[in-house]
Amino acid sequence: MSVNSDPHQSMLNRRQFLIRSAKAGLSIAAAGAIGYQFYESSAPDGIQRESEYAGLPDFSIPDTGSRLSVVRGHDRIKTLQLALKSIGGIETFIKSGDRILLKVNAAFASPPMLSATTHPQLVSEITRLCFKAGAHEVIVTDNPINDPLSCFNLTGIAEAARKAGAKVVLPRENFFKYMTLTDAKLIRNWPVLHKPFKDIAKVIGVAPVKDHHRSGASMIMKNWYGLLGGRRNIFHQDIHNIIKELAMMVSPTLVILDGTTAMMSNGPTGGSLSDLKETNTMIVGTDQVAVDAYGATLLGKDLSELTFIAKAEAYGVGTADYRSLNPEVISL
Amino acid sequence: MKIITARRISQIFFLLLFFWFCIVTSLGKEWWQLRGWPVNWLLELDPLVGLGTLLTTHSLYKGLIWGVATVVLTIILGRFFCGWICPFGSIHQFVGYLGRRHKSSLEKAKINRYHRWQVLKYGILIFLLSVAIADLAVFLIKWPYSQPWIFWTLILCSLVAAIIVTMVRTPVDPKKLSLYLACGVGIWVILGYIFQDARILSASLQIGLLDPIPLVYRSINLIVLPLIDGSALKLFSSPRYYEGSWLIGAIFVTAVLLNYKTPRFYCRYICPLGALFGILSRSALWRIGKTETACIDCHLCEKNCEGACAPSSEIRINECILCFNCLDDCHHNQIAYQTAPSAAGEILSPDLSKREFVFTFLSGAAAAPLLRLNGNLTDNWKAGLVRPPGAVFEKEFLSRCIKCGQCMRVCPTNVIHPAGLIAGVEGLWTPVLNFRIGTSGCQHKCIACGNVCPTAAIRPISLDERLGRNRFAASGPLIIGTAFIDRGRCLPWAMDKPCIVCQENCPVSPKAIFTREQFNAIHMETPLLVKTANFRFVEFDKAALQADRLATGDYYCLINEQSDQQPRLIVENTTRSLTISPKAPWEPPPTPGSKASIQIRLQKPFVDPERCIGCGICEHECPVRGKRAIRITAENESRNRKHSLLPRT
């Protein structure tokens, strides 16, 4: 009944007055409570903050020590098999039920023959061997420079992985988490590809040997660049330190450096067969610094040109003196 | 089955087919991706696309021949396309149904009454076609001069014919007739003389602005899909953006919501394709009509009349979209789809007076030359207008592009965008490359856009042609623009910071970006003086350095008095001392008191215009994010030799 419906009854009766007062009181209380709840006396600091996490776990196998093996030959599959065998077989590194993350280099939308990216043959063979050793799942991932989908398709990596039974994970915005790496100066509050590492037991890095005009060479350590998100290329201003920090960030189970065909010039994109040279070498090891140091010899680079190697060694990531690991150099 | 049930099934089928086409227009090998799906089919069925491009290009490109089938069927059946196929029309019809479902029959009949402004769409059609008609007009105007024999023979023939007609049919005044003929021919010849240099007459294809099929393709692909992506539906590997999408979206949403006020508002008042079908259907073999003159005038037939074509009285055949609702709603079975004209009479033509027609036609014909006066096609070309690879030269491009957005949809890197005003008003929503948006620049080994373009505004090039290999080795790669370095913003050029991300990412081999090494002394208030030193170590007089900052591999120390003047790589430093690499120690060590400077080794990027193809990957990757320090402009683009930067053979 509305108050003014009858002109003779324009006065409120008690009941109506009480109901109305109760409603008004509740509304006032609600408005006050909302105001109090959200009251903020200080201005925002204007900086976008993200929750951080501390870093990736150590994926290396504690008791194997540093191992390195080099096999010469042009058949990737055979050289890989032999190299793995000579460092103790894949069973030493992969245990039954493991989830494996394979960090490939899929940076560019470029066909496999141009050797700018990890060769699909390697992807399928490593996946096959992992499953043979009892792996539960193999995840192949990278955050490429060119369009991710095109990169994985054109490089042949997606198809090779799928055929071998591995799962290809393309980066999405919510797959990254902000990380501040201990002792790092550059990887601080920086987005790092995180989601694919969920429940991962072992990490294998696999990359080609390539010339790189800014850093001197792009091999295993530089390949971890593909785990960074955000505007990562501002780190090119301090390229050797960022590569060192990437090596600090990832302690892989195993790294595979493919020097079957090395990109000698015009790197890291290449684009022409004339940029390539058959260097017929497969380098497999547990020490990424030693592996890269060996890889540098394929490019004919002096270690003093590749400052990042000395820097990573100085931090204790590994040893640049690959000879100290007594690598078995086998020819097919 | 009732005929309206059949119509509904057809509408749902074509609407779903259209949505399916929108989804599969994405690059990939999966069955739900672009691999032979005829994604342009609805655009090709649209005869306005065919007619428009026929006027501007004198050809019906590939699948556009489908438009002939639609025309033939329309001449036989009437406007079946509007009522049975058009996906935009089906969306309108559905929303219109939602808007009027709670209204009474009387109110429904009222909003479906014919409105005289429905003639507007014919004006729009005439305007849009007359914008495109210049080429035909130029040909006709110049005819007396270009092919005088044919012209004068034809005039002679018509004169003879006229004389015969006059002799047979006495009421025609021979004097008057000859006067008309003479005047006509005279004006023609004079016009031909005046417009000998027909520079002022130019054609532009603008039907895509309002043609419902390009409009709905554009709206769904560039607005709706990116908005719903990332929900349950994962269509794109990374979120899509389209610059200026607000305008496309606003028009789409407005057109759809107007159905609440007036059902099929767009179809009745705006749609130029509907107008074309209206004209074609005037002599349709079958048509809707009343079987008897007398009826009880209940107007139920107009309750759900989609076309607002007044079936209860004199039906307007050109407005009838064959929804068949009148047939279904008439309780007395007095309406039929038949060969005989309606018993209550018919109106076949739009209420467009001759004067209105001429006025609209002339303003359309004048519009294109008016737009061209800004000189966009000549010296005032816009450097930022970088077209996709395979785009034909600009004048031809504007004669072909229907702004459907298929290239923007299929582009795997989201680098193709609907242009705002950069290509002029007539270039609105035509494809332009925006290297700031997307997952990469224009991918070097991709030819998707040209192969999906329904009108060959972007040619279907091969990978060989794009890369300049094999058969195309002699002509070299296709160039869409050239990169220019902004030395005031580039980190190594302007700020002594090493970078060369552009060089790293250049996909051309050998790279189109090369570097020159240079050592620059970093800025210090007062020079450093050596206090003590040995072969690899030097301590300075003051603590002027930041500890450990110089050991990045890019900093060098130069002792001014050293005879070799070679900077030495710094491997360690404290605030007042530094150590250099053992590879090149000082011989002899610096003497105390000598001046020293810290040098940074920079690789400064340069663009080689002989190699750059304008793919823009450098611009996309440049770490100077606000306004990139390396940017692509259309210089050197293959499609126009006048934009060449280099003398070409």
Side-chain angles (χ1 to χ4, degrees):
Chain A
M1 186 171 77
S2 95
V3 177
N4 291 322
S5 58
D6 185 348
H8 301 292
Q9 232 192 6
S10 63
M11 293 271 291
L12 283 174
N13 63 31
R14 182 182 293 130
R15 185 184 166 79
Q16 282 171 329
F17 173 75
L18 285 177
I19 290 172
R20 194 189 275 186
S21 304
K23 280 182 181 168
L26 276 174
S27 308
I28 291 164
I34 290 168
Y36 178 76
Q37 184 65 35
F38 292 99
Y39 178 71
E40 175 74 67
S41 64
S42 54
D45 63 6
I47 298 167
Q48 195 177 349
R49 268 181 223 296
E50 309 288 345
S51 60
E52 294 184 34
Y53 82 112
L56 296 169
D58 185 345
F59 296 102
S60 62
I61 305 223
D63 30 321
T64 53
S66 292
R67 296 185 187 185
L68 179 66
S69 127
V70 178
V71 178
R72 303 234 180 247
H74 67 271
D75 185 335
R76 280 188 182 85
I77 294 180
K78 285 184 186 154
T79 50
L80 174 70
Q81 286 171 346
L82 202 57
L84 280 172
K85 208 167 158 192
S86 85
I87 57 166
I90 189 131
E91 299 77 15
T92 317
F93 304 97
I94 309 294
K95 294 282 174 266
S96 178
D98 278 354
R99 285 173 198 271
I100 320 289
L101 184 137
L102 200 57
K103 168 63 180 76
V104 293
N105 182 339
F108 303 105
S110 160
M113 66 185 294
L114 293 178
S115 282
T117 47
T118 300
H119 200 283
Q121 270 185 354
L122 276 184
V123 175
S124 49
E125 183 60 14
I126 298 166
T127 308
R128 191 185 71 82
L129 292 170
C130 286
F131 281 129
K132 208 178 143 198
H136 177 71
E137 188 176 31
V138 178
I139 284 170
V140 177
T141 195
D142 191 13
N143 180 24
I145 295 172
N146 297 159
D147 174 56
L149 198 63
S150 312
C151 283
F152 274 92
N153 284 337
L154 239 73
T155 54
I157 293 174
E159 202 186 346
R162 268 186 217 116
K163 275 192 180 155
K167 192 176 154 196
V168 174
V169 177
L170 296 183
R172 284 183 174 271
E173 227 164 291
N174 56 354
F175 286 6
F176 292 85
K177 249 189 177 179
Y178 283 74
M179 178 199 277
T180 294
L181 189 68
T182 319
D183 291 344
K185 284 180 183 156
L186 302 173
I187 305 178
R188 301 195 71 80
N189 194 27
W190 198 268
V192 171
L193 192 58
H194 176 264
K195 186 100 174 278
F197 282 94
K198 194 172 180 283
D199 298 330
I200 289 295
K202 307 285 159 62
V203 168
I204 301 176
V206 49
V209 176
K210 297 196 290 178
D211 161 59
H212 192 275
H213 201 53
R214 175 75 183 103
S215 65
S218 168
M219 297 177 288
I220 291 292
M221 289 194 268
K222 171 80 172 63
N223 185 37
W224 305 126
Y225 222 121
L227 295 178
L228 296 181
R231 295 177 41 215
R232 55 188 176 182
N233 56 24
I234 62 165
F235 294 138
H236 273 53
Q237 292 168 50
D238 197 353
I239 193 78
H240 297 293
N241 278 326
I242 188 65
I243 299 177
K244 174 192 85 174
E245 291 187 8
L246 287 167
M248 287 156 54
M249 181 176 85
V250 192
S251 305
T253 315
L254 194 64
V255 295
I256 298 163
L257 183 59
D258 178 12
T260 311
T261 306
M263 184 183 290
M264 306 301 288
S265 57
N266 216 47
T269 51
S272 163
L273 293 177
S274 59
D275 299 320
L276 309 176
K277 182 183 165 191
E278 300 303 317
T279 42
N280 296 325
T281 310
M282 184 68 66
I283 309 154
V284 177
T286 53
D287 180 338
Q288 48 179 325
V289 183
V291 168
D292 271 8
Y294 196 98
T297 63
L298 301 180
L299 291 172
K301 301 260 181 189
D302 193 281
L303 285 192
S304 64
E305 291 173 67
L306 310 177
T307 308
F308 64 88
I309 291 188
K311 281 178 176 292
E313 182 181 37
Y315 187 79
V317 178
T319 174
D321 182 13
Y322 57 84
R323 288 179 195 87
S324 68
L325 302 180
N326 303 314
E328 213 184 330
V329 181
I330 315 165
S331 288
L332 265 184
Chain B
M1 185 167 62
K2 286 202 289 193
I3 191 151
I4 59 164
T5 313
R7 187 207 74 223
R8 282 181 190 144
I9 291 171
S10 167
Q11 281 181 299
I12 291 169
F13 171 76
F14 281 101
L15 188 61
L16 291 178
L17 186 73
F18 164 68
F19 286 141
W20 179 247
F21 286 160
C22 290
I23 287 169
V24 300
T25 312
S26 75
L27 212 56
K29 293 181 191 166
E30 303 294 332
W31 64 272
W32 48 268
Q33 290 175 319
L34 188 68
R35 36 176 295 171
W37 289 102
V39 293
N40 287 330
W41 189 49
L42 290 165
L43 284 165
E44 290 164 350
L45 278 177
D46 173 353
L48 190 51
V49 172
L51 179 61
T53 51
L54 180 65
L55 284 176
T56 51
T57 69
H58 320 289
S59 65
L60 267 180
Y61 175 67
K62 273 190 180 168
L64 298 184
I65 197 81
W66 275 105
V68 176
T70 316
V71 166
V72 169
L73 277 174
T74 305
I75 290 170
I76 298 171
L77 301 172
R79 289 173 62 176
F80 76 101
F81 189 91
C82 304
W84 290 60
I85 292 178
C86 179
F88 202 30
S90 303
I91 296 172
H92 292 315
Q93 187 162 345
F94 180 66
V95 179
Y97 157 76
L98 291 182
R100 66 173 190 261
R101 86 204 126 126
H102 296 308
K103 290 196 162 86
S104 70
S105 294
L106 194 67
E107 282 173 309
K108 283 181 187 172
K110 207 173 153 192
I111 57 173
N112 286 330
R113 215 171 270 165
Y114 174 76
H115 192 286
R116 63 190 173 86
W117 272 100
Q118 282 177 233
V119 77
L120 177 67
K121 62 176 172 294
Y122 297 95
I124 290 174
L125 174 73
I126 291 160
F127 183 86
L128 292 177
L129 286 180
S130 53
V131 172
I133 214 156
D135 279 333
L136 188 64
V138 169
F139 170 75
L140 288 178
I141 287 174
K142 284 186 177 177
W143 208 13
Y145 297 90
S146 60
Q147 292 170 319
W149 279 106
I150 301 176
F151 177 76
W152 289 112
T153 315
L154 276 178
I155 292 293
L156 207 67
C157 289
S158 51
L159 197 66
V160 172
I163 290 167
I164 294 168
V165 168
T166 325
M167 287 200 303
V168 176
R169 282 199 187 180
T170 37
V172 183
D173 182 2
K175 257 190 204 163
K176 225 175 175 179
L177 185 77
S178 46
L179 192 70
Y180 279 158
L181 256 173
C183 280
V185 174
I187 289 171
W188 198 332
V189 172
I190 290 167
L191 273 179
Y193 181 74
I194 293 172
F195 288 110
Q196 269 184 56
D197 175 19
R199 191 176 62 94
I200 185 176
L201 287 175
S202 34
S204 179
L205 188 64
Q206 295 301 322
I207 54 129
L209 288 174
L210 293 173
D211 186 334
I213 307 297
L215 191 154
V216 73
Y217 265 88
R218 182 171 68 222
S219 306
I220 299 295
N221 279 332
L222 307 189
I223 310 296
V224 178
L225 289 190
L227 282 179
I228 60 171
D229 174 53
S231 50
L233 205 62
K234 292 209 168 35
L235 292 167
F236 308 105
S237 58
S238 38
R240 299 287 269 204
Y241 298 94
Y242 292 103
E243 207 186 353
S245 50
W246 69 272
L247 184 58
I248 299 170
I251 290 172
F252 179 70
V253 170
T254 307
V256 170
L257 291 185
L258 274 171
N259 290 299
Y260 264 90
K261 180 95 179 66
T262 307
R264 283 203 184 238
F265 180 92
Y266 193 88
C267 312
R268 292 179 190 177
Y269 295 95
I270 311 290
C271 183
L273 179 61
L276 178 66
F277 286 135
I279 293 165
L280 289 172
S281 66
R282 52 175 290 135
S283 44
L285 297 188
W286 279 274
R287 66 260 319 273
I288 296 281
K290 283 165 89 169
T291 49
E292 288 162 58
T293 327
C295 78
I296 59 162
D297 270 339
C298 66
H299 288 272
L300 275 181
C301 52
E302 286 171 9
K303 186 176 78 166
N304 295 309
C305 176
E306 290 290 326
C309 57
S312 66
S313 50
E314 269 188 307
I315 184 169
R316 292 176 179 268
I317 293 300
N318 57 316
E319 297 294 323
C320 172
I321 62 156
L322 297 185
C323 67
F324 291 102
N325 284 339
C326 51
L327 216 80
D328 192 58
D329 286 333
C330 180
H331 291 185
H332 299 92
N333 290 327
Q334 286 192 331
I335 292 185
Y337 185 51
Q338 58 195 6
T339 47
S342 174
E346 286 179 337
I347 299 172
L348 293 174
S349 304
D351 292 334
L352 197 70
S353 68
K354 266 184 209 152
R355 194 166 293 193
E356 285 164 339
F357 174 83
V358 171
F359 177 76
T360 315
F361 177 83
L362 288 182
S363 44
L370 189 66
L371 292 173
R372 296 280 160 91
L373 278 182
N374 67 3
N376 261 6
L377 289 184
T378 57
D379 288 348
N380 195 25
W381 59 280
K382 297 294 181 278
L385 183 66
V386 180
R387 296 282 194 199
V392 294
F393 66 93
E394 191 63 12
K395 188 167 186 286
E396 177 79 4
F397 187 88
L398 293 172
S399 307
R400 286 181 174 274
C401 180
I402 55 164
K403 315 165 194 284
C404 63
Q406 288 290 75
C407 50
M408 306 164 202
R409 167 68 182 91
V410 80
C411 177
T413 62
N414 193 196
V415 74
I416 310 179
H417 290 261
L421 295 178
I422 190 168
V425 174
E426 56 178 325
L428 184 70
W429 301 331
T430 55
V432 60
L433 270 55
N434 180 339
F435 301 103
R436 292 176 63 88
I437 298 181
T439 50
S440 173
C442 178
Q443 227 155 246
H444 198 197
K445 295 178 181 71
C446 174
I447 47 168
C449 49
N451 283 281
V452 81
C453 178
T455 60
I458 309 172
R459 287 184 300 124
I461 53 172
S462 66
L463 212 50
D464 277 354
E465 181 174 0
R466 169 126 203 226
L467 300 173
R469 324 181 285 209
N470 304 335
R471 203 152 64 79
F472 298 92
S475 50
L478 212 67
I479 297 165
I480 56 173
T482 301
F484 286 81
I485 292 170
D486 187 339
R487 292 189 181 181
R489 299 182 69 83
C490 174
L491 295 176
W493 276 107
M495 297 172 182
D496 282 350
K497 298 286 178 205
C499 177
I500 63 163
V501 169
C502 52
Q503 188 270 355
E504 172 184 3
N505 286 295
C506 176
V508 178
S509 175
K511 284 182 187 288
I513 300 175
F514 62 92
T515 62
R516 289 194 176 110
E517 191 178 82
Q518 191 177 335
F519 285 88
N520 280 4
I522 62 170
H523 175 74
M524 281 196 184
E525 295 301 325
T526 52
L528 293 167
L529 296 176
V530 176
K531 196 171 155 200
T532 56
N534 64 30
F535 293 101
R536 280 189 61 208
F537 176 82
V538 50
E539 191 182 347
F540 300 111
D541 59 327
K542 53 185 174 290
L545 309 175
Q546 263 186 300
D548 221 25
R549 279 294 289 276
L550 303 180
T552 64
D554 297 311
Y555 290 94
Y556 290 70
C557 179
L558 178 69
I559 307 292
N560 292 11
E561 286 151 28
Q562 287 274 314
S563 54
D564 63 0
Q565 284 294 307
Q566 282 296 315
R568 303 298 207 279
L569 177 67
I570 299 168
V571 293
E572 262 179 72
N573 80 294
T574 66
T575 53
R576 57 190 312 135
S577 73
L578 57 83
T579 311
I580 60 164
S581 162
K583 238 195 141 191
W586 283 300
E587 297 277 1
T591 49
S594 51
K595 282 184 185 168
S597 61
I598 306 299
Q599 305 259 330
I600 182 152
R601 186 181 76 107
L602 295 169
Q603 294 160 304
K604 293 194 169 177
F606 291 80
V607 174
D608 182 351
E610 304 264 10
R611 299 199 180 283
C612 182
I613 55 165
C615 71
I617 291 178
C618 50
E619 181 175 344
H620 183 264
E621 298 301 327
C622 178
V624 185
R625 301 306 282 177
K627 181 181 181 184
R628 307 291 152 90
I630 185 163
R631 299 186 297 275
I632 308 294
T633 52
E635 262 89 4
N636 235 1
E637 57 178 346
S638 303
R639 67 187 186 124
N640 195 334
R641 294 174 72 89
K642 286 183 184 155
H643 299 180
S644 280
L645 207 54
L646 307 167
R648 287 258 175 79
T649 47

